[in-house]
Amino acid sequence: MKLMLWVYAICGLIVVAEGLNKLERCRGWRQWPRSTRARAVELLKMLAWGLLTIGGAGAVATLILPLRAPDLQDVCVIGGFAVLIVRTRVKEG
């Protein structure tokens, strides 16, 4: 169980790092797209990465705060996102 908690927290840290990176690179309000569709896409991307970042931060917080232990499905979900992030980074070189 302790190993699963550490895997959960490490994967959460990967998701937080990538989420903050993606949020920083989002155009957001700085260079707002002109079309409504492009705005919707940008807002959805910002919302998705924001939620993933918050979820990853919660995973990291489980090491410090007395929260419930992660279930296997929690570990699999955040682990899947972490693997996809690492795979993309390796692919990019």
Side-chain angles (χ1 to χ4, degrees):
M1 190 65 172
K2 205 128 174 110
L3 176 65
M4 193 163 70
L5 181 65
W6 277 99
V7 168
Y8 186 63
I10 290 169
C11 290
L13 190 61
I14 291 169
V15 171
V16 167
E18 184 68 14
L20 291 175
N21 180 37
K22 294 288 188 180
L23 284 171
E24 183 182 345
R25 293 183 348 186
C26 282
R27 286 188 279 181
W29 312 155
R30 292 175 301 192
Q31 195 177 9
W32 199 242
R34 293 180 188 213
S35 73
T36 305
R37 183 173 186 221
R39 284 184 194 158
V41 168
E42 194 68 22
L43 282 173
L44 288 172
K45 183 168 70 171
M46 290 168 54
L47 178 64
W49 281 110
L51 290 172
L52 282 170
T53 303
I54 292 169
V60 174
T62 57
L63 286 176
I64 303 164
L65 301 175
L67 301 173
R68 70 169 180 80
D71 296 330
L72 182 60
Q73 67 265 20
D74 297 332
V75 176
C76 289
V77 168
I78 202 154
F81 279 114
V83 168
L84 286 174
I85 290 166
V86 170
R87 181 197 65 88
T88 303
R89 291 292 177 177
V90 168
K91 189 171 111 178
E92 290 174 355

